[in-house]
Amino acid sequence: MVKVVLTAPASEMSEYNGNPAIAFVSGFSKPFLVPRFFLTLNLYRDNRDGYRVRYAPLGLRRIEASLIESGIFREDDVVVVCPDDLEDVVNEDTKVIGIGVKDPLGLGYVSLTYSTLLGLGEPINKYEFMRIIKIVKKLKKKFEFNVVVGGPGVWQLYMYSDLDALGIDVVIDGEGEVITPDVFSKIINREPVERIVKGDVVPVDHIPCIKGASVYGAVEISRGCGRGCMFCTPTMQMRRDIPLEKIVRDIEVNIENGQNKVLLVTEDIFLYGSRIPWEPNGDAIAKLIENVTKFKDRGLKHIQITHMNLAAALYRKDIVKLMSDRLYEFAWYSFRGNYINTVEVGIESGSPRIIARYMRGKALPYTPEEWPDIVLESLTLLEENGWIPLGTIIVGMPGEDIDDAYRTLSLVENIRRHGLRTFLVPLLFVPLGGCVLKDQPIRSFNELNDVQVAVFAECWKHNTKIWGVEHFKNYSYIQKKILNILAKIYLATTARKYRWRKKIATEIYKELVSQI
């Protein structure tokens, strides 16, 4: 008898054919002409083992484990399912449907930026979340259960939507491993529960090991950051390192359940095991890497790290080399015939003034004034050691003036002049719930000056030039012609509606033509 059904939008349940980079597509527009089966065929490959999913988002796996470990629920009381199977699984025994969300209304950095930039419809993330809501509201007419939503994206729901209209009974805002079992138990026993429940910081000894495999083999090695970047939520949280034995156990669970890859989830690999602020602990990182790579003998093929700080990489070149030497054989990607390690890094701005005002901790142990040079030297160092990072840039930070924008544009141009292959992702400023700047207004493209618009154009010209040849080499002559025709139609219709969209699209198209 299943009492608790856990799920998430299909865009978060997918492994995108094993490519985490393609997951960014879920933040792009879903054109109304594109049917959903196209998404399921090309993006959401089957992830089922019966009605249970083989792989689930790490956050859902943590909640599943916390419910079982609490002793309140048995293992067969809880199931994690694909949203497409809700109507087959939910019945009169179901008391709670728990939905994990990262970006339910498409208000995250990538979704808001690129659904607006493309102008072809709402982001896929929002489309898939609203699809779950539609299914759940239909089921509520047949069965009595409560809907509980949790995850890093819940701020979008209580700040920008009507919980009653969505059929949401309870929102858990914050870390959920400790509070969720109690909330679910009260719901089942018909005891009163607050509409919005705040989850406190969870001590590492209360973070349970997962019971089933996670999407991409995601394994948490640290939580929070503490660098204090005002635009970001995790950096404002107290940093905690997950004990090595728990990390190893989570990897074992993934391997035992069919995963052959590991995604090491952290806000900055260089903070793992550090006791002195901003001082990386080389021994702890070396021991971590050693314990992860030993799973090669049990079928592990790929290892990837989620985030890395550029200043720390430059400061501890020895750790960069150690990780490069040990992880090369586990590289997830290849580029132009060579294996590469990839990682996300935060460039954010080329303006020392913006760095000093909003993210001083990002530059430590160096100064904000040194930041542009740190970025160039660190990206160069990483490429010399076989890494090609994905670098984010935030455009339109509160108070960013034209001089700040020029400095960011200059940094982008210098990245190109240095021949660096960093994949640059410019993003509009979004006041994420829980960050220091949460009360600032969302920035729109209409508010950007010409230099800020140029940052977007130059970043994507750079990406198209560096990565276009590799991407389009397998396109047939007919496919390239069709792409060219579609691009021209877009330029003549959607792109021309706004000056900024026309400017960005035109510049990218010029580079695209040279590639196809």
Side-chain angles (χ1 to χ4, degrees):
M1 182 176 71
V2 176
K3 297 178 181 178
V4 177
V5 177
L6 301 177
T7 191
S11 54
E12 297 178 21
M13 282 285 193
S14 175
E15 285 206 325
Y16 296 88
N17 303 326
N19 189 341
I22 298 180
F24 281 102
V25 171
S26 64
F28 291 8
S29 300
K30 178 195 172 296
F32 72 93
L33 291 174
V34 176
R36 188 172 185 270
F37 77 78
F38 178 85
L39 301 181
T40 58
L41 181 65
N42 292 280
L43 297 180
Y44 316 147
R45 296 296 175 85
D46 187 31
N47 181 25
R48 300 179 179 92
D49 182 8
Y51 59 81
R52 294 177 182 268
V53 293
R54 288 194 295 272
Y55 313 127
L58 179 58
L60 274 190
R61 287 300 191 199
R62 288 280 192 235
I63 295 303
E64 174 192 34
S66 70
L67 293 171
I68 296 168
E69 292 291 325
S70 71
I72 300 173
F73 299 91
R74 302 189 309 271
E75 195 159 343
D76 57 2
D77 287 334
V78 184
V79 63
V80 184
V81 305
C82 173
D84 290 6
D85 291 334
L86 281 172
E87 292 182 270
D88 295 325
V89 174
V90 174
N91 56 35
E92 61 275 2
D93 295 324
T94 305
K95 304 304 177 186
V96 180
I97 293 181
I99 305 173
V101 295
K102 295 178 182 176
D103 188 16
L105 301 183
L107 297 177
Y109 278 111
V110 174
S111 296
L112 186 67
T113 300
Y114 287 98
S115 62
T116 304
L117 181 56
L118 289 172
L120 296 174
E122 292 185 333
I124 294 172
N125 280 330
K126 181 177 181 180
Y127 170 81
E128 291 294 346
F129 173 72
M130 295 308 296
R131 186 173 180 275
I132 285 186
I133 291 300
K134 183 177 180 180
I135 294 171
V136 168
K137 289 174 74 172
K138 178 182 176 182
L139 289 169
K140 267 194 165 186
K141 295 178 180 178
K142 296 172 61 177
F143 307 111
E144 290 188 20
F145 58 81
N146 280 48
V147 177
V148 181
V149 181
V154 295
W155 61 273
Q156 300 179 15
L157 300 175
Y158 62 74
M159 289 178 66
Y160 296 103
S161 70
D162 183 339
L163 297 180
D164 289 327
L166 294 174
I168 296 172
D169 299 293
V170 177
V171 171
I172 296 179
D173 184 17
E175 299 183 23
E177 288 92 344
V178 171
I179 196 69
T180 300
D182 182 58
V183 170
F184 282 21
S185 177
K186 286 181 177 179
I187 289 173
I188 291 172
N189 293 321
R190 299 182 182 277
E191 298 176 27
V193 177
E194 293 181 10
R195 191 68 180 277
I196 299 177
V197 180
K198 294 292 184 180
D200 293 328
V201 170
V202 176
V204 292
D205 58 341
H206 285 77
I207 298 176
C209 292
I210 58 178
K211 303 289 185 181
S214 56
V215 170
Y216 301 125
V219 171
E220 193 175 25
I221 65 171
S222 65
R223 184 177 295 187
C225 171
R227 287 189 181 272
C229 298
M230 296 183 184
F231 61 88
C232 182
T233 302
T235 59
M236 303 307 297
Q237 296 174 336
M238 181 181 73
R239 183 182 62 82
R240 287 142 290 160
D241 294 326
I242 307 300
L244 192 55
E245 60 270 19
K246 285 193 173 186
I247 295 172
V248 168
R249 179 54 192 154
D250 282 350
I251 296 174
E252 286 177 340
V253 171
N254 272 294
I255 297 293
E256 290 166 0
N257 286 276
Q259 274 289 16
N260 65 358
K261 50 190 176 293
V262 168
L263 182 67
L264 299 178
V265 179
T266 176
E267 295 305 316
D268 177 15
I269 183 66
F270 288 102
L271 290 180
Y272 183 78
S274 65
R275 294 178 177 83
I276 303 172
W278 329 126
E279 182 66 48
N281 184 335
D283 291 340
I285 295 171
K287 190 174 182 181
L288 169 68
I289 298 299
E290 178 186 354
N291 276 272
V292 175
T293 55
K294 72 180 183 182
F295 282 92
K296 177 183 178 180
D297 295 337
R298 296 179 59 179
L300 180 63
K301 293 183 178 180
H302 303 295
I303 301 170
Q304 182 163 325
I305 297 166
T306 55
H307 296 89
M308 179 185 293
N309 176 267
L310 289 173
L314 186 62
Y315 179 58
R316 290 299 301 269
K317 299 181 181 70
D318 58 319
I319 298 178
V320 171
K321 187 176 189 316
L322 178 146
M323 291 191 296
S324 302
D325 292 344
R326 297 302 304 274
L327 297 181
Y328 180 78
E329 65 176 305
F330 297 94
W332 206 309
Y333 300 95
S334 64
F335 180 68
R336 298 181 182 176
N338 297 310
Y339 287 115
I340 58 169
N341 286 309
T342 62
V343 68
E344 185 174 332
V345 299
I347 298 171
E348 318 312 7
S349 177
S351 167
R353 188 181 76 89
I354 292 295
I355 298 296
R357 183 174 179 180
Y358 295 119
M359 53 196 100
R360 182 176 291 272
K362 183 179 287 293
L364 291 173
Y366 305 101
T367 66
E369 289 70 30
E370 297 173 279
W371 181 248
D373 291 333
I374 291 168
V375 171
L376 290 173
E377 291 179 34
S378 187
L379 292 178
T380 301
L381 169 71
L382 289 170
E383 288 211 22
E384 289 172 348
N385 283 274
W387 298 76
I388 300 183
L390 180 153
T392 55
I393 295 173
I394 300 178
V395 179
M397 289 289 292
E400 181 180 83
D401 60 27
I402 196 165
D403 180 66
D404 298 317
Y406 267 121
R407 290 175 183 271
T408 297
L409 182 60
S410 176
L411 179 56
V412 170
E413 291 171 343
N414 282 331
I415 288 172
R416 187 181 69 246
R417 290 193 193 100
H418 279 66
L420 296 170
R421 297 172 292 177
T422 308
F423 194 93
L424 300 174
V425 182
L427 302 163
L428 287 174
F429 168 73
V430 176
L432 301 178
C435 76
V436 172
L437 300 175
K438 65 181 183 298
D439 295 326
Q440 293 290 324
I442 294 174
R443 202 65 187 266
S444 76
F445 277 100
N446 290 328
E447 299 173 272
L448 300 186
N449 58 49
D450 289 344
V451 182
Q452 291 169 321
V453 171
V455 171
F456 276 90
E458 290 302 313
C459 284
W460 283 102
K461 281 172 61 180
H462 164 82
N463 293 338
T464 306
K465 181 177 181 179
I466 297 298
W467 296 85
V469 173
E470 183 77 3
H471 179 75
F472 296 119
K473 68 180 182 182
N474 295 321
Y475 278 44
S476 67
Y477 174 80
I478 297 298
Q479 287 175 316
K480 290 179 180 179
K481 283 295 183 183
I482 292 173
L483 178 61
N484 196 8
I485 291 170
L486 291 175
K488 286 182 176 179
I489 293 173
Y490 178 78
L491 285 170
T493 55
T494 304
R496 65 185 297 181
K497 293 180 180 179
Y498 297 97
R499 61 154 184 97
W500 45 267
R501 186 182 291 154
K502 181 179 179 181
K503 168 68 175 176
I504 296 168
T506 300
E507 292 298 317
I508 296 172
Y509 177 72
K510 290 177 183 177
E511 189 62 50
L512 178 66
V513 169
S514 69
Q515 303 290 339
I516 61 175

